[in-house]
Amino acid sequence: MFNIGEFVVHPMHGAGVIDAIVQERIAGSTQDYYVFKMPSAGLMLKIPTSNSQAIGIRSLITPEEAESLLEAIPALEVENSANWNKRYQENLERLKSGDLYQVARVIKSLMTRESRRGLSTGERKMLHNAKQILISEIVLSQEADYREVEARVDQAMTQ
């Protein structure tokens, strides 16, 4: 269980803070919810505490882990299926995994594809979301500026 004020990561939304823990009655059943707030995007979600592990809510990585990830990005290998639907589904599964290395692979493959052929609207949105997920966690982990981290991520992706 997480505590109020604790930084956590939602696999599909990125890093944020547990703003509150509330109890709500829905359909005759009372349940506890984390109120998850993302400082960078202004997003607020209510996540059932009982489902948080199944959803993939986890603690923030350490600053050292974030640095190791940034250093590993240039060496990440990416695959690009020619089939748009297959590529999109594979990338979506990588994002849902909550693994930042998989998220970085999605970003790198989409940025590579964008520079060569351009992206569809759906892939452009996925690239934006993947970058938000990765950058938000590094920003909170290293207590860094969003734009600085974004520039470091972009630079690592193009090396």
Side-chain angles (χ1 to χ4, degrees):
M1 186 155 181
F2 298 106
N3 298 310
I4 295 171
E6 194 170 343
F7 291 116
V8 297
V9 180
H10 187 290
M12 293 303 290
H13 296 289
V17 65
I18 300 295
D19 199 44
I21 300 173
V22 297
Q23 224 178 44
E24 290 192 7
R25 187 173 183 87
I26 299 175
S29 170
T30 302
Q31 193 168 4
D32 290 337
Y33 292 86
Y34 292 122
V35 178
F36 172 78
K37 187 175 183 181
M38 282 187 61
S40 62
L43 177 71
M44 190 173 294
L45 299 172
K46 287 187 182 171
I47 303 164
T49 58
S50 60
N51 287 8
S52 64
Q53 192 171 11
I55 292 169
I57 305 298
R58 62 174 173 78
S59 296
L60 205 60
I61 60 172
T62 66
E64 296 77 22
E65 290 169 326
E67 200 58 42
S68 294
L69 171 66
L70 286 168
E71 290 170 3
I73 288 173
L76 289 178
E77 292 186 26
V78 295
E79 313 125 17
N80 271 322
S81 171
N83 181 307
W84 179 90
N85 192 38
K86 182 178 180 198
R87 186 175 61 244
Y88 188 86
Q89 289 302 318
E90 287 171 351
N91 283 337
L92 189 57
E93 287 305 312
R94 287 184 183 112
L95 291 179
K96 287 180 180 179
S97 75
D99 179 340
L100 283 183
Y101 286 87
Q102 294 299 324
V103 173
R105 279 191 176 91
V106 170
I107 296 167
K108 191 169 185 177
S109 71
L110 290 175
M111 286 179 75
T112 301
R113 185 164 187 84
E114 182 177 44
S115 70
R116 293 184 183 153
R117 295 190 179 135
L119 296 175
S120 67
T121 302
E123 285 181 314
R124 206 171 304 117
K125 184 177 178 184
M126 181 179 277
L127 174 58
H128 174 76
N129 290 342
K131 284 179 82 173
Q132 170 65 37
I133 290 166
L134 181 70
I135 293 169
S136 68
E137 185 161 2
I138 295 171
V139 163
L140 289 181
S141 172
Q142 295 189 334
E143 298 178 14
D145 178 69
Y146 188 93
R147 290 190 179 151
E148 286 176 23
V149 172
E150 184 176 31
R152 288 185 69 199
V153 166
D154 287 342
Q155 181 182 15
M157 293 292 171
T158 57
Q159 287 182 352

